[in-house]
């Protein structure tokens, strides 16, 4: 059951495409932050009958207008590149956002800031990569995404969440949350807390290389997990990168790191059986092959040398964020049950430890 009545969804949808006939909406519960609905609608003049309607979480993204400006600039640029490659107006390699009937990028509402884009037909997202071939293909797609955006014209993209991948600051916020112990949960997660602090220097290696001027800022996706990719039903090829909310200035290895985080192990990020949380070398090798296949000529020698530290940084950083949110009372990441953020933090810590044991770091 959608947690917003269908009549309201219809009203919002109509601000974008007025006069829709049939209208059906189903909620997707995958994301941790925004609300997402799959909508089927016969709308006059639309090039599609299937849409994604999303409300952006305004607490997480207070600068949602800056975010939407990024999103339109990025998708327009990808559309141009797609046209140059010979694709038509219904190309499935990038997202097609739809403005409101008034020409705005979205609609402000009490539930969040609403936006609409066309569904990509005959393609699906999947939670987990299962084989090295799938991992290689996904890494290629995110590498290509960075390459396509490397010549985005215009000013620097807006930082939709300031200090998003400031790993050092994420650790400091964890320490502050542990000390404040707002919900009385610190005693119940001391081992995890200490476990993260022990690995802090490995987590900071990437940020330090950037600060030393060895790793340049680029445009990165900043949430390059496997599930943020649509896979073509017919060919099994990666078709389209989705979730552009954190696409902004970042490091190339932030994306490689999220690829490692989401694919080196074939278990979900909230796996409770930690004996199953194992980083597999063959998945890492496939990821490096796919990513370097696209970006090998672009990356600096230092970026190539410290590639696996991206995985440690992203896995530990998000683990630290899950634990901080658990200590703060679960205000940031949506949880499905009590203790969910602690479970997520534990599995990320286990994954980082396994990376240190099995990967070339
Ligand atoms: C959040 O909402 P979702 O699932 O796209 C988070 C990412 C985390 C990810 C962990 C804006 O992304 O940083 O890596 O969860 N997004 C934000 O799965 O904080
Ligand atoms: Mg995301």
């Amino acid at each position: 059951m959608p947690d917003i009545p269908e009549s309201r969804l219809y009203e919002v949808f109509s601000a974008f495409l007025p006069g829709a006939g049939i209208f059906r909406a189903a909620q997707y519960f995958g994301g941790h932050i925004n609300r997402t609905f799959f909508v089927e609608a016969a709308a006059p003049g639309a090039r599609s009958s299937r849409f994604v309607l999303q409300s952006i979480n305004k607490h997480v993204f207070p600068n949602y207008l800056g975010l939407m400006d990024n999103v339109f600039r990025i998708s327009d640029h990808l559309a141009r590149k797609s046209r140059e490659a010979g694709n038509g107006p219904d190309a499935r390699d990038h997202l097609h956002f739809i403005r409101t009937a008034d020409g705005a990028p979205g609609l402000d509402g009490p539930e969040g800031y609403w936006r609409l884009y066309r569904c990509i037909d005959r393609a699906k997202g999947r939670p987990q990569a299962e084989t090295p071939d799938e991992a290689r293909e996904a890494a290629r797609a995110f590498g290509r995404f960075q390459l396509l955006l490397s010549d985005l014209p215009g000013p620097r993209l807006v930082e939709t969440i300031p200090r998003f991948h400031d790993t050092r600051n994420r650790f400091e916020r964890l320490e502050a949350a542990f000390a404040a112990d707002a919900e009385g949960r610190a005693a119940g997660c001391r081992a995890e807390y200490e476990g993260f602090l022990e690995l802090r220097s490995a987590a900071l290696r990437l940020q330090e290389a950037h600060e030393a001027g060895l790793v340049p800022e680029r445009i990165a996706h900043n949430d390059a997990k496997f599930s943020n990719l649509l896979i073509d039903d017919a060919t099994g090829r990666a078709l389209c990168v989705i979730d552009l909310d954190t696409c902004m200035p970042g490091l190339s290895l932030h994306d490689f790191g999220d690829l490692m985080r989401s694919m080196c192990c074939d278990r979900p990020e909230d796996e409770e059986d930690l004996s199953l949380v194992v980083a597999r070398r063959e998945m890492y090798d496939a990821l490096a092959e796919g990513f370097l296949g696209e970006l090998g000529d672009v990356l600096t020698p230092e970026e190539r040398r410290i590639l696996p530290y991206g995985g440690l940084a992203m896995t530990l950083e998000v683990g630290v964020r899950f634990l901080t949110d658990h200590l703060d009372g679960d205000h940031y990441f949506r949880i499905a049950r009590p203790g969910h953020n602690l479970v997520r933090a534990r599995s990320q810590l286990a994954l980082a430890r396994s990376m240190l044991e099995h990967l070339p770091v």
Side-chain angles (χ1 to χ4, degrees):
M1 270 288 280
D3 64 9
I4 292 186
E6 193 165 289
S7 57
R8 171 65 182 148
L9 295 172
Y10 181 79
E11 183 179 84
V12 171
F13 182 84
S14 302
F16 293 85
L17 293 168
I22 313 163
F23 184 89
R24 260 183 242 113
Q27 191 159 2
Y28 164 75
F29 288 99
H32 296 348
I33 311 281
N34 295 332
R35 272 207 201 84
T36 304
F37 302 90
F38 292 115
V39 167
E40 275 181 62
R47 297 187 70 92
S48 172
S49 59
R50 294 170 60 237
F51 305 87
V52 175
L53 183 62
Q54 259 178 341
S55 71
I56 304 175
N57 180 326
K58 293 200 271 189
H59 300 292
V60 170
F61 295 109
N63 186 8
Y64 48 89
L65 292 176
L67 180 160
M68 287 309 293
D69 195 52
N70 282 0
V71 163
F72 271 90
R73 282 179 60 198
I74 292 161
S75 47
D76 286 352
H77 186 69
L78 296 176
R80 199 157 40 241
K81 297 253 162 160
S82 178
R83 270 198 309 277
E84 283 164 15
N87 294 318
D90 293 325
R92 296 186 299 146
D93 59 354
H94 61 279
L95 295 176
H96 300 252
F97 285 85
I98 299 169
R99 290 182 180 271
T100 65
D102 299 338
L107 181 77
D108 210 350
E111 314 87 349
Y113 188 80
W114 291 96
R115 66 175 169 207
L116 184 73
Y117 56 91
R118 271 150 61 179
C119 241
I120 305 257
D121 288 326
R122 307 181 308 285
K124 279 177 208 62
R126 294 219 320 267
Q128 233 59 58
E130 267 137 41
T131 64
D133 283 346
E134 288 175 352
R136 188 180 304 103
E137 175 66 10
R140 209 184 276 141
F142 277 104
R144 180 142 189 77
F145 181 80
Q146 275 192 13
L147 196 65
L148 288 170
L149 290 177
S150 61
D151 61 351
L152 181 81
R156 190 171 182 264
L157 289 171
V158 166
E159 287 189 48
T160 58
I161 299 180
R163 310 185 83 173
F164 190 55
H165 284 320
D166 182 345
T167 311
R168 187 180 297 109
N169 177 255
R170 296 293 190 178
F171 273 87
E172 285 162 7
R173 288 200 239 171
L174 172 62
E175 286 173 310
F178 192 83
D181 196 15
E183 301 284 318
R185 294 176 178 175
C189 60
R190 176 173 289 280
E192 291 79 5
Y193 174 69
E194 286 170 356
F196 280 112
L197 294 192
E198 257 167 49
L199 299 184
R200 186 190 324 227
S201 60
L204 291 186
R205 183 78 188 272
L206 173 58
Q207 185 169 13
E208 283 164 358
H210 172 60
E211 288 162 351
L214 299 168
V215 167
E217 177 182 290
R218 304 177 189 281
I219 295 178
H221 181 278
N222 289 310
D223 192 11
K225 49 187 179 185
F226 184 69
S227 57
N228 276 336
L229 204 58
L230 298 182
I231 316 281
D232 191 313
D233 290 345
T235 63
R237 302 289 308 256
L239 197 57
C240 181
V241 168
I242 60 169
D243 185 1
L244 307 177
D245 295 337
T246 50
C247 186
M248 60 179 164
L251 306 183
S252 185
L253 269 49
H254 288 149
D255 286 355
F256 187 72
D258 266 323
L259 294 168
M260 286 176 62
R261 183 179 83 78
S262 64
M263 281 182 263
C264 280
C265 167
D266 59 5
R267 304 302 304 158
E269 74 184 6
D270 59 357
E271 175 60 58
E272 295 199 37
D273 181 349
L274 299 182
S275 72
L276 301 175
V277 180
V278 178
R280 288 163 56 196
R281 177 66 195 252
E282 68 274 22
M283 294 299 259
Y284 171 80
D285 288 341
L287 290 171
E289 207 183 300
F291 201 69
L292 293 177
E294 293 292 335
L295 291 171
D297 297 338
V298 174
L299 299 188
T300 64
E302 182 69 1
E303 282 176 302
R304 273 177 274 135
R305 206 170 64 75
I306 64 167
L307 207 52
Y309 281 93
L312 279 172
M314 291 299 91
T315 306
L316 289 165
E317 186 186 286
V318 85
V320 159
R321 294 172 60 200
F322 287 142
L323 190 57
T324 305
D325 200 32
H326 172 71
L327 287 161
D328 283 347
D330 307 304
H331 299 303
Y332 187 93
F333 296 106
R334 188 178 300 127
I335 53 170
R337 49 189 179 278
H340 202 175
N341 276 318
L342 178 57
V343 166
R344 290 170 174 151
R346 277 189 188 129
S347 86
Q348 297 304 291
L349 181 59
L351 179 58
R353 285 176 171 155
S354 179
M355 284 176 175
L356 281 165
E357 193 181 333
H358 298 295
L359 301 185
V361 280

